[in-house]
Amino acid sequence: EGNARDEVALELVQLGRDFHEMFYNLIRDKEGEDPQQGPGGNSSLETEDENEDDNLAPKKKARASPTVLAGDHPPLHQWGIPVSLSILVDSLLQATDDEAQERYTSATDVADDLRSMLSDPERFLFDTEVDEHAGKLTIPPEGSNALYGRNDVLERLRHMFDRSLMVGSAPEMVLLAGVSGVGKSSVANSLRQPVEDRGGLWITGKFDELRQHQTQPLSVVFGAFEDVCREINEREDEKAESAKRAIREALNGGAGVLAGLMPNLGRIIGDVSSLNEAIDGQNALRQFLHYFRLFYRSLFASVGPVVLFFDDVQWADAEALSIIETIASDMERSCSTFFVIAVRDEEVGPEHVLNKLVANVSKAGVDTSSIKLNDMDIESLNTMVADAMHLSPRLTYRLSVATHAKTNGNPFYSSRFIGSLADEGLIRFSLASRRYVWDIAAIEAKEPFGIVDLLLHKLQGLDGGCRSILKVAAFVGPSKKLTLR
């Protein structure tokens, strides 16, 4: 078995030499000169900055083979060959070096990498701009809308949404459950573009553990509708104009009851100063709910589809959930209405008011279901890391395994953990190698990473003045706005 493995390694090294010679000849034929000699016989090879800190692993090119040590196989990226191909050839040449972290051990791995480059060259083959990415490692990749390891969840959520659009369909409510940082909000927000593409409304509010008890109990719900009123005012399409007309006709003099909580509603109605009425007590609540029902009914009927997304509902109070229940239970089948409730299920016990809401809306004819989100597996995490670093997943796998061991694959903590490694210099972009490199031994030795570690890392990165301001802000609380000059 050992002899067979050695033979495979030797064959891989030979393949690396063949590839190197092929690219060498390709450059020579294209440029019409020896790529190792620039005009006038001067060497055209880039040399590494002697001051650059290249002590981080992996760095085994100097150990690759006697031919590499002799300079017969300089890195191909120095000739303008993409870094991905340069790494592939180097990894082949390192096949006989048991200490080389990135060496190939089978032809199957080589074929997989080549196949990835052919099928998705933008992701796996072509170089990225050094200036854009150097020192700016972003996890998930900057500009990416991908939700790694969530394909099944996204398909299920989209199917539920599409079902709610069918004529005569009952309103639907789905609970997205999972721990903090697992990606519930990102999954829910995947519906926003399909809604807006149809000219519909995306209504969203987020509950806050601290602020919920310091502000009006219904501020989150009515704040969400206030944002919708502002959006309608800013839109000029026919659906928006239709919504404005429907709201004016439905309220018919009762807008003043709602304008205190939704000032932008006043801009839709016009002057509401003469509409305010002196009411109090139970009569005030009944009248308020009456006009609010007229408002959202007219809004939903004129602008569809409508998705209402409420986040962190484990912190919602009974009054807010009562309003959400009223809206969901009151929807007619002619309205395409879809409710998404994101909740940290570990914080919702049997007596939580959310359970009552779900039971009541289900009795009222709303189709209810739940989706449980779990942490990412190693493969999904590795895909995310590889995409961010523009490297083959084969190269980043050990780093991803170490990250998963520290964060359990939680998307939020994984991204922050890798960001902290970059801040510490344990991951960096090597200008000489034109790729990210890292110290895997130091990373594997780190302790598990959680919310306390994240906060400490951020605080330690601030100067003394910023930390002093944060102390004052913490004392004042979240209900006050501080202006820094």
Side-chain angles (χ1 to χ4, degrees):
E1 182 180 350
N3 290 336
R5 186 167 57 248
D6 292 342
E7 289 179 6
V8 170
L10 290 173
E11 291 174 356
L12 293 175
V13 170
Q14 184 58 52
L15 179 61
R17 291 170 178 163
D18 292 342
F19 275 152
H20 198 284
E21 182 178 359
M22 178 183 70
F23 287 119
Y24 173 86
N25 292 330
L26 179 67
I27 297 298
R28 183 186 61 185
D29 294 343
K30 181 180 179 180
E31 302 296 335
E33 61 185 15
D34 189 335
Q36 298 192 58
Q37 298 294 321
N42 295 324
S43 173
S44 65
L45 293 181
E46 302 174 8
T47 58
E48 296 197 13
D49 185 347
E50 294 181 356
N51 294 322
E52 182 182 8
D53 180 13
D54 271 338
N55 294 322
L56 295 182
K59 180 189 173 186
K60 296 294 184 181
K61 287 188 289 187
R63 297 177 54 85
S65 69
T67 54
V68 174
L69 287 172
D72 294 338
H73 296 94
L76 289 170
H77 71 262
Q78 296 183 0
W79 298 342
I81 298 296
V83 171
S84 57
L85 290 174
S86 180
I87 294 173
L88 182 143
V89 172
D90 285 347
S91 297
L92 285 168
L93 294 172
Q94 295 169 344
T96 56
D97 185 353
D98 291 339
E99 295 185 23
Q101 296 178 16
E102 297 182 352
R103 73 187 187 282
Y104 280 112
T105 58
S106 72
T108 301
D109 290 341
V110 182
D112 287 344
D113 282 354
L114 289 172
R115 194 176 295 112
S116 297
M117 294 179 196
L118 285 172
S119 63
D120 196 348
E122 291 293 335
R123 177 180 168 193
F124 292 113
L125 176 59
F126 298 138
D127 289 346
T128 57
E129 292 292 334
V130 171
D131 291 340
E132 178 183 351
H133 291 282
K136 288 178 58 178
L137 179 60
T138 304
I139 305 283
E142 191 170 1
S144 171
N145 293 320
L147 294 176
Y148 294 89
R150 298 293 184 233
N151 289 341
D152 292 345
V153 169
L154 294 174
E155 289 179 7
R156 185 180 173 192
L157 184 65
R158 183 60 184 269
H159 173 72
M160 293 175 180
F161 170 68
D162 290 340
R163 186 173 59 197
S164 72
L165 300 179
M166 298 174 64
V167 177
S169 294
E172 295 212 25
M173 175 179 289
V174 57
L175 270 65
L176 292 179
V179 299
S180 173
V182 80
K184 302 182 293 296
S185 302
S186 298
V187 169
N189 280 308
S190 68
L191 292 178
R192 181 163 193 163
Q193 194 60 51
V195 172
E196 294 179 347
D197 289 344
R198 290 173 169 84
L201 287 178
W202 175 263
I203 303 175
T204 182
K206 183 179 178 66
F207 293 94
D208 184 282
E209 182 178 20
L210 297 178
R211 296 184 62 186
Q212 187 62 21
H213 303 292
Q214 299 177 8
T215 59
Q216 294 180 348
L218 301 179
S219 61
V220 173
V221 176
F222 289 105
F225 282 94
E226 163 70 355
D227 292 340
V228 169
C229 290
R230 182 177 62 250
E231 177 188 340
I232 291 175
N233 275 307
E234 293 173 351
R235 284 170 51 174
E236 298 179 354
D237 56 279
E238 179 55 34
K239 275 194 173 184
E241 293 302 321
S242 175
K244 294 176 186 177
R245 290 193 298 268
I247 291 171
R248 294 188 191 107
E249 293 173 2
L251 293 181
N252 190 27
V257 178
L258 304 177
L261 285 174
M262 295 183 290
N264 275 294
L265 177 61
R267 294 176 56 195
I268 294 177
I269 301 299
D271 183 15
V272 297
S273 58
S274 62
L275 304 178
N276 293 313
E277 303 178 26
I279 51 177
D280 54 22
Q282 288 297 318
N283 186 47
L285 179 59
R286 285 194 296 269
Q287 193 162 7
F288 177 85
L289 292 176
H290 168 72
Y291 283 114
F292 181 62
R293 182 177 290 110
L294 293 176
F295 162 70
Y296 68 69
R297 279 182 174 179
S298 62
L299 176 64
F300 292 178
S302 58
V303 182
V306 177
V307 172
L308 298 96
F309 167 46
F310 291 100
D311 202 359
D312 282 332
V313 178
Q314 72 276 357
W315 291 323
D317 54 81
E319 291 84 354
L321 291 181
S322 176
I323 293 295
I324 296 175
E325 177 186 328
T326 298
I327 298 171
S329 302
D330 194 47
M331 288 296 95
E332 300 178 357
R333 288 180 178 266
S334 59
C335 300
S336 297
T337 313
F338 192 72
F339 294 80
V340 182
I341 306 295
V343 59
R344 299 182 188 179
D345 53 344
E346 78 277 11
E347 299 188 29
V348 176
E351 303 302 320
H352 197 284
V353 288
L354 178 60
N355 298 316
K356 180 180 178 181
L357 177 148
V358 174
N360 288 345
V361 299
S362 181
K363 291 178 182 177
V366 179
D367 289 339
T368 59
S369 55
S370 63
I371 297 178
K372 172 71 173 180
L373 272 66
N374 297 310
D375 290 327
M376 291 189 295
D377 57 25
I378 293 176
E379 296 300 331
S380 299
L381 176 59
N382 188 43
T383 301
M384 182 174 73
V385 174
D387 284 357
M389 293 186 172
H390 298 274
L391 293 172
S392 163
R394 176 185 68 86
L395 300 175
T396 58
Y397 187 76
R398 186 174 172 184
L399 172 61
S400 298
V401 170
T403 300
H404 195 279
K406 311 304 178 186
T407 65
N408 291 322
N410 183 284
F412 178 78
Y413 294 131
S414 294
S415 64
R416 296 305 186 270
F417 175 70
I418 291 177
S420 71
L421 297 177
D423 291 342
E424 295 176 34
L426 296 179
I427 297 177
R428 65 176 179 81
F429 192 91
S430 169
L431 293 175
S433 301
R434 290 165 57 190
R435 55 163 288 187
Y436 283 99
V437 293
W438 51 89
D439 186 342
I440 189 61
I443 294 171
E444 290 176 337
K446 295 186 78 65
E447 295 295 326
F449 189 85
I451 183 64
V452 175
D453 305 277
L454 172 61
L455 292 175
L456 288 176
H457 172 73
K458 293 297 183 183
L459 289 173
Q460 289 168 355
L462 301 175
D463 59 34
C466 288
R467 287 198 293 269
S468 297
I469 293 174
L470 285 176
K471 291 178 182 178
V472 175
F475 175 78
V476 172
S479 61
K480 302 294 183 180
K481 293 183 178 180
L482 298 179
T483 301
L484 303 180
R485 298 182 183 276

